[in-house]
Amino acid sequence: MAISKSLNVNGERVAVSIDDPDMPLLYALRDNLALKGPRFGCGLAQCGACTVHVDGKAVRSCVTSLSSLNEGQQIVTLEGLGTPEKPHPMQRAFIEEQAVQCGYCINGMIMESAAFLTTNKKPSETDIKKALANNLCRCGTHARIVRAVLRASQSI
Ligand code: FES
Ligand code: FES
């Protein structure tokens, strides 16, 4: 029997109808709420493509069960980070550095980097590489991604 689960996503209270309380957050975001920023890559917490923020921390939504979340927690997706009219500094930096090839990993790169900059406002290139070491990019866009994060750190 379907149950209703309340969440706070991108500043709004939403209710999703689910059959399994342990369904991954990623499925609810993409399938129930049509938020396509977070991507399904590995489904095993290995690639980072599905990263969102929960209470400001980068979280892999493919392995975060809905049952582990409550409506008091603030979930933010790429769509809630900024808008096309008013992008987050990290989104703007990725555009300015053209740090995208196919784009599949970029949700995770931006969300992980944005959360990282709240813990280290003036990171070195080495700090950034360490922070993104577990976010995979098969296109080899790493050099531009690091430049984008450095650029964002100078504008935040
Ligand atoms: S899809 Fe979640 S880490 Fe790969
Ligand atoms: S830009 Fe294609 S996987 Fe990173």
Side-chain angles (χ1 to χ4, degrees), residues 129-142:
K129 286 178 182 171
K130 272 193 202 152
L132 294 178
N134 293 321
N135 285 71
L136 306 184
C137 172
R138 296 182 66 171
C139 295
T141 318
H142 304 85

Side-chain angles (χ1 to χ4, degrees), residues 1-146:
M1 192 178 74
I3 55 171
S4 180
K5 173 81 184 180
S6 295
L7 298 168
N8 186 319
V9 179
N10 295 334
E12 286 182 18
R13 284 276 163 87
V14 295
V16 292
S17 177
I18 53 172
D19 292 322
D20 177 2
D22 289 329
M23 185 171 91
L25 171 62
L26 177 62
Y27 300 178
L29 294 173
R30 288 184 60 86
D31 300 338
N32 297 67
L33 300 173
L35 293 166
K36 306 294 188 188
R39 304 286 172 84
F40 185 96
C42 62
L44 296 167
Q46 302 284 308
C47 73
C50 64
T51 303
V52 300
H53 294 172
V54 177
D55 292 337
K57 295 201 169 65
V59 162
R60 304 216 160 173
S61 64
C62 68
V63 291
T64 302
S65 68
L66 288 174
S67 60
S68 72
L69 298 166
N70 64 61
E71 61 189 307
Q73 291 174 293
Q74 309 279 328
I75 299 162
V76 175
T77 70
L78 190 68
E79 292 88 344
L81 200 62
T83 64
E85 298 73 33
K86 198 167 179 240
H88 183 278
M90 191 63 72
Q91 292 169 315
R92 192 177 327 115
F94 270 68
I95 294 167
E96 287 169 352
E97 291 292 343
Q98 290 288 284
V100 178
Q101 285 193 49
C102 79
Y104 208 88
C105 69
I106 297 302
N107 166 74
M109 295 293 185
I110 290 177
M111 298 306 283
E112 189 75 43
S113 300
F116 165 64
L117 276 198
T118 66
T119 65
N120 184 347
K121 294 195 185 327
K122 292 294 166 212
S124 65
E125 202 171 307
T126 304
D127 295 335
I128 295 167
K129 286 178 182 171
K130 272 193 202 152
L132 294 178
N134 293 321
N135 285 71
L136 306 184
C137 172
R138 296 182 66 171
C139 295
T141 318
H142 304 85
R144 285 178 182 237
I145 289 170
V146 171

